[in-house]
Amino acid sequence: MSHHNVRQERIEWPKRLTDAANVGPVLVLSGGGALGALQAGFLRALVRSDFRPSLIIGTSAGALNGAFLAFNPNEDGIEQLIEIWRSLRDRSLFLFNPLRVAYQVMSKQLCLTNSDHLELLIKDYAPQDDFSATDVPLCITTTNLTAGRKEVIHEGTISKALLASTALPGIFCPVEIEGELHVDGGILANLDLETAIDLGASEILAIDLSRCVDGRRPDSVIGVWMRTLDVIQRDRVDREMDRLEHRAHITLIQPVVESSVSLTNFLAVDRLLEEGEQLGEDVIRQYRCADGRFQAGTIHSPLHIHS
């Protein structure tokens, strides 16, 4: 399995990835827990408008969305992704048995619960478990806990990379890859614009979920932890946009949801899918140019753009 880290001064990326990045547009998808359903709804609108990325870079929930879209970047594929999110309404990814949690803490385990549901989901829906099998080249961002750096995985087994990129520290167990422990990519790069730029992208469409629940009060311990991480991630995205926006034509979409939802509540999936699709249709109508590109700048909802 090949991966790259942020501490390398000069990265030799595979030609398949650099060629794809140069063709454009590169699609960059952030994490966001249950809010990934909003992102999936937005992708549905994009696919229906004949949008096809040349490369996908995803983190956490964005890695899940990106992986399934990379295998089938068409209407059939996006409908399957929508069904995957709908299937989560009746399943909790955060199952906490008090006795199990107590045992995990007392026995010095590395997490409070497992990601069995997510693992089964990937096995059920992933057609082939290898990066080389995707129709659109795919990169998945993780955090290498052992080495203390960002990793970008683009070869080998997709399922392990997905489980690693979605392994919220302390909640889900770290995933071992080539002898090193990996956790949620959102810790260091929830919206990995840097990798898109490093690969030579000239046109980037990014969907960032870090502002979705601004002003909302967390309703659980996990909610406090995820909201704290959300604030850190949002600040990092702002700084990265300031640093990179002159190096490529970047359209950054930062929605705010109307529904009363949290990052951990999957019961609102249907509403999020609807809101995401409506937002996508509105953005396409207002900000897509005659040449098919989107206007550069940051698009917030209610819709307005900072360029």
Side-chain angles (χ1 to χ4, degrees), residues 138-183:
L138 172 69
C139 294
I140 292 176
T141 302
T142 72
T143 299
N144 186 322
L145 200 60
T146 304
R149 63 186 180 227
K150 180 183 87 175
E151 298 278 2
V152 181
I153 303 174
H154 52 79
E155 290 183 359
T157 304
I158 288 180
S159 59
K160 256 198 169 180
L162 284 176
L163 289 172
S165 190
T166 55
L168 194 65
I171 308 300
F172 295 131
C173 295
V175 177
E176 185 172 330
I177 299 175
E178 295 183 357
E180 297 181 317
L181 295 180
H182 291 244
V183 295

Side-chain angles (χ1 to χ4, degrees), residues 191-299:
L191 187 76
D192 197 2
L193 294 171
E194 182 181 59
T195 292
I197 295 293
D198 286 347
L199 283 164
S202 58
E203 181 185 351
I204 299 170
L205 177 62
I207 307 174
D208 173 34
L209 302 175
S210 68
R211 290 184 180 271
C212 280
V213 291
D214 279 0
R216 306 289 171 80
R217 186 183 181 92
D219 56 6
S220 65
V221 172
I222 297 177
V224 171
W225 162 230
M226 292 190 73
R227 178 59 179 152
T228 301
L229 183 59
D230 200 41
V231 171
I232 295 169
Q233 292 165 342
R234 182 182 64 190
D235 179 69
R236 184 174 291 123
V237 170
D238 291 344
R239 292 171 185 269
E240 195 152 280
M241 268 296 284
D242 288 342
R243 183 170 63 88
L244 300 176
E245 61 184 348
H246 68 285
R247 297 182 58 184
H249 181 102
I250 303 175
T251 304
L252 173 61
I253 298 161
Q254 292 184 316
V256 175
V257 296
E258 297 174 5
S259 304
S260 178
V261 299
S262 69
L263 302 177
T264 59
N265 181 9
F266 288 84
L267 296 177
V269 160
D270 285 329
R271 181 62 182 154
L272 288 169
L273 289 169
E274 290 175 10
E275 285 190 27
E277 185 173 0
Q278 183 61 58
L279 175 63
E281 291 171 354
D282 292 344
V283 167
I284 290 166
R285 183 174 59 255
Q286 295 186 41
Y287 298 109
R288 198 172 193 178
C289 305
D291 62 2
R293 297 206 306 176
F294 289 87
Q295 292 181 40
T298 302
I299 299 172

